[in-house]
Amino acid sequence: MLTWDSTYEIVLTLMEHHPEIDVESIGTQQLYKLITALPNFGDDPLLVNDGILNDILREWYEEINTL
């Protein structure tokens, strides 16, 4: 089960489920919707903040740019 603390696992799951997403043009609100819609996401959606979402975006950007 994915939680907000599972930053790297969330990124890998997003890459698998949404390879078409341009990470540089996605906002935190869209990212929030993508994460909470993941089939194995099980955390409380109200526990997130912009810092967590920005960390996930940064991790996602770094992951796709190291391939």
Side-chain angles (χ1 to χ4, degrees):
M1 175 177 76
L2 295 174
T3 65
W4 291 119
D5 293 330
S6 313
T7 303
Y8 186 67
E9 291 82 5
I10 288 173
V11 167
L12 294 179
T13 306
L14 286 168
M15 289 172 60
E16 178 184 332
H17 284 85
H18 301 286
E20 76 287 354
I21 296 286
D22 177 10
V23 177
E24 293 184 44
S25 67
I26 189 173
T28 55
Q29 196 64 4
Q30 184 182 6
L31 178 63
Y32 172 82
K33 290 177 183 176
L34 290 173
I35 294 169
T36 56
L38 291 172
N40 53 345
F41 182 77
D43 208 344
D44 183 347
L46 300 177
L47 294 178
V48 74
N49 59 48
D50 283 346
I52 294 170
L53 292 172
N54 285 324
D55 287 346
I56 293 169
L57 271 177
R58 183 172 37 261
E59 183 88 31
W60 193 356
Y61 178 84
E62 290 173 2
E63 188 65 25
I64 62 169
N65 286 302
T66 58
L67 299 177

